Structure formats: C-alpha cells, structure tokens
Amino acid sequence: MSTITSSFIEGMKGRRSLYALTNKSTISDDRIEEIISEVVKHTPSPFNSQTARLLVLLKEEHEKLWDIALEIATATVPAEQLEKLYKPRIAGFRAGYGTVLFYEDPAPLKPLEEKWPMLIDKFPEWSNHSSGMHQFALWTLLEAEGLGCNLQHYSPMVDARVSEQWNIPLDWSLKSQLVFGKPIGGPREKTFEPLEKRVFIHGK
Ligand SMILES: Cc1cc2nc3c(=O)[nH]c(=O)nc-3n(C[C@H](O)[C@H](O)[C@H](O)COP(=O)(O)O)c2cc1C
C-alpha cells in the first residue's frame, strides 16, 4: 500500500464526531486558513463548477454565530425542547474555537443548466455531493491536526441572520456547519454494520 493510501486511511479512521471542545486551537489561524484553502482548491465539483463557498468564523465571530442560533431558538423552539436540547447543545458548540459554514453558490451552475437542460435536476444534487466532499475532507484534515470537530445543521434556522451579519448572498445555500476546537473528550462508541451487507465485489 502506498504511503499516501495508508495516511489517507489513517486520516479517515481518525475522523470522528467530537462534542467536548474548548476555545483553544492546536494549530495557528494561518494553518487553519491554509488547510481550508487547499480543501476548497482541490475538492472536485460537477464540471469543475467550483460552487463551494466557505465562511470561516473564529473566536468571537464563532461565538457570535452560536449566540445568534440561541437567540433564534429561544424565540422559536418550544420551551421544553429549548431547555433539554437546544440550550446545552448550542452552549457546547459555542465553547469551541471556530465554525466553518459550507455554502453552495448556484450561479456557476446556471450556464451548465442551459447547456445541458437534460441534467437540470441533477446539478443541485451534484452540488450537494460536492459540498459533502468538502465537509468530509476538511473534517478529516482538521482532526489530523489534533482538533476535534462535529457537523451541525442549523439551516434554515440561522440563514437570514447569518447572511445579514457576515454579508452572505441570500441565494447561497447553507449546507452545514463544522464546529471545531481543541478536544477535551473522546468520541462516542461506534458500531459497524457487517461489510458483507454493504460491499459487493464481482470478478475479483
Ligand atoms: C450528512 C451528515 C449529517 C450529519 N448531521 C449531524 C448533525 O446534524 N448533528 C450531529 O451532531 N452530527 C451529525 N452528523 C454526524 C453523524 O452523526 C456521525 O458522523 C455518525 O454518527 C458517525 O460517527 P463519527 O462521526 O464519530 O464517525 C452528520 C453526519 C453526516 C455524514
């Protein structure tokens, strides 16, 4: 097995959901920016449309995001759910160091949709696939640097307020939020379905 293959598999194994995070980072902000830039540059997209847009919030800006989420949840979620679920979870995210918000910009898909009208239903789906690839790559790489991450979905709840606060075009579609920080706890136990139920090889 090549060194790249082994390292990649080790990186995938090391990527887990970590929820106990602190507002410290194991790497510099410049290194975070470098990793994010490499992910955005090298992750594939349909017809190389490069639709991914990443909003990166660190420290006070990250805290602002989760203050906004709590404010909206407080105004919209039933009291019991708010106390039991939203408040402790949002407090956990806010305790981290940063959040990356993954958007997809539909604009680069317009000319492709005009050129290939028979694929018009496929482009939004493929744009989602590409976003997922970005999320997985960044999650894996940040954890390889000793950070802990978890993936959240607070869209559409926070969309309008985030667009207003950080000047994000309203037609960009918010897919997910990757919360990260120096971890103070390990991952939850994880079980695996038998691979025979999931992988089917013919002609080996
Ligand atoms: C598409 C997708 C959506 C997810 N959404 C959430 C989420 O909204 N909140 C959350 O805490 N974890 C979310 N997760 C994390 C999964 O629950 C987690 O990856 C899974 O249980 C396996 O655990 P692991 O990440 O530790 O390997 C999501 C993962 C994926 C791939």
Side-chain angles (χ1 to χ4, degrees), residues 15-17 19 139 151-153 190:
R15 184 225 50 80
R16 296 296 314 277
S17 295
Y19 295 94
W139 189 347
L151 192 66
Q152 298 307 318
H153 293 89
K190 186 173 172 178

Side-chain angles (χ1 to χ4, degrees), residues 65-75 82 86-87 90-91 158:
L65 168 69
W66 294 107
D67 287 343
I68 288 172
L70 180 61
E71 204 183 297
I72 299 169
T74 305
L82 179 72
Y86 283 83
K87 273 192 179 174
I90 290 173
V158 299

Side-chain angles (χ1 to χ4, degrees), residues 15-34:
R15 184 225 50 80
R16 296 296 314 277
S17 295
L18 297 178
Y19 295 94
L21 306 175
T22 66
N23 63 358
K24 304 277 182 296
S25 178
T26 51
I27 51 174
S28 69
D29 292 348
D30 282 345
R31 179 83 177 130
I32 292 171
E33 185 179 0
E34 186 188 358

Side-chain angles (χ1 to χ4, degrees), residues 7 15 24 36 44 88 94-96 104 117 126 133 141 151-152 154 160 167 178 180 193 195-196:
S7 307
R15 184 225 50 80
K24 304 277 182 296
I36 290 171
R94 191 188 187 280
E104 285 288 299
W126 292 340
M133 291 182 189
L141 291 173
L151 192 66
Q152 298 307 318
Y154 279 72
N167 212 15
L178 188 69
F180 63 92
E193 290 292 316
L195 290 175
E196 306 80 69

Side-chain angles (χ1 to χ4, degrees), residues 83-180:
E83 293 301 323
K84 278 198 184 148
L85 292 174
Y86 283 83
K87 273 192 179 174
R89 284 190 191 172
I90 290 173
F93 309 143
R94 191 188 187 280
Y97 183 79
T99 303
V100 179
L101 293 91
F102 293 86
Y103 286 88
E104 285 288 299
D105 178 359
L109 298 177
K110 294 266 159 57
L112 293 169
E113 287 165 353
E114 278 162 25
K115 197 168 173 191
W116 284 283
M118 69 291 278
L119 297 176
I120 200 144
D121 296 340
K122 286 290 161 196
F123 284 111
E125 189 185 330
W126 292 340
S127 164
N128 283 337
H129 294 181
S130 180
S131 178
M133 291 182 189
H134 285 77
Q135 295 165 43
F136 172 69
L138 186 58
W139 189 347
T140 304
L141 291 173
L142 290 182
E143 293 207 340
E145 299 283 332
L147 285 161
C149 307
N150 61 74
L151 192 66
Q152 298 307 318
H153 293 89
Y154 279 72
S155 176
M157 191 190 241
V158 299
D159 291 8
R161 287 285 303 279
V162 168
S163 290
E164 192 188 349
Q165 180 71 40
W166 288 284
N167 212 15
I168 299 297
L170 277 169
D171 65 336
W172 290 9
S173 171
L174 178 56
K175 302 301 178 189
S176 68
Q177 304 82 50
L178 188 69
V179 182
F180 63 92

